[in-house]
Amino acid sequence: MARRFGVESGIIGVTAAAVVAVVVAGALAFSNVGGPSKAEAEGVASQKAKRAAAPVDSSIVHASDRPGRSLNITIDDGPDPVWTPKVLEVLKRYNVKAVFCMIGPQAEAHPDLVKKVLAAGHRLCDHTISHNTGMGKKPESYQSQQILDAQKMIEKAAGGAKVEYYRAPGGAFTPYSRKLAADHGMRPLGWNIDSKDFEGGTVERIESTVRGELPNRTGPTVLFHDGGGDRSRTVDSLNRLLPWMQSQGFGFGFPKR
């Protein structure tokens, strides 16, 4: 009986091993159906890691990441509890995404608006602490404090989301500030078409300024504001200009990273 039991045990053991092998093979085959292999998955993860670690270009970007006839809409000096929600409404109405260049203390004071901007699919830009248009003539220590402290404020208000761009107030970039921003993951961001909405005037004047500059533009990035004062004219101008831009065949992208 002992011998028979041993033989039967051997047969059962071989059979069980075969069944396990079939099940494992089937599971492996099933796991690969419609999906990458382990090696491929590791390759994709490696590529993503390399992109994440890739250095950011310190040159000032104007170009759009969208091919063809495209514009980048940028909104400066907020977030503002009155005007930012209104700007967001207009952008949503025409399905346009924008870059919001935020002042650090404003973001810190209105984290709900920062999160609302992100939730709508827009991107964040560091526009310093004090919006000092003369900061290009300030010591490097001042520039660093203005840029990096604002970045921290905005990212904290955003719940940890990254700030992707840096725009110097009044375009007061320096080689140092551009490199500093790039070293901290932010592409320096310029503009090509200034709506002049901060100068006051009528909605018609803002609209005329943008329409007049578009044919002669040297790049696709357009500048508006949602902070720093009464922006009702900006809201009305965007409500007119965005559908007009679309009727002219323009699409909307983000500045290249």
Side-chain angles (χ1 to χ4, degrees), residues 28-81:
L28 288 173
F30 180 78
S31 69
N32 284 330
V33 174
S37 67
K38 181 180 179 182
E40 289 172 333
E42 289 176 348
V44 169
S46 176
Q47 290 174 4
K48 287 182 178 179
K50 286 179 181 178
R51 283 199 298 271
V56 174
D57 192 334
S58 64
S59 65
I60 299 173
V61 67
H62 300 88
S64 177
D65 63 3
R66 181 184 181 277
R69 195 169 169 81
S70 184
L71 297 172
N72 304 322
I73 302 299
T74 61
I75 314 289
D76 283 20
D77 296 356
D80 181 275

Side-chain angles (χ1 to χ4, degrees), residues 80-146:
D80 181 275
V82 174
W83 304 114
T84 301
K86 294 181 183 297
V87 169
L88 286 172
E89 287 175 9
V90 177
L91 293 172
K92 182 179 180 180
R93 183 174 301 133
Y94 300 107
N95 194 29
V96 173
K97 305 304 180 188
V99 175
F100 282 75
C101 300
M102 297 184 174
I103 306 297
Q106 287 293 110
E108 186 176 56
H110 305 289
D112 56 324
L113 290 178
V114 179
K115 293 180 177 70
K116 191 173 182 179
V117 165
L118 282 171
H122 307 293
R123 294 186 183 178
L124 302 177
C125 173
D126 178 339
H127 205 33
T128 74
I129 293 289
S130 305
H131 198 275
N132 183 350
T133 56
M135 69 176 287
K137 298 178 181 179
K138 295 288 187 178
E140 291 181 353
S141 58
Y142 177 86
Q143 297 178 48
S144 177
Q145 178 263 334
Q146 285 283 312

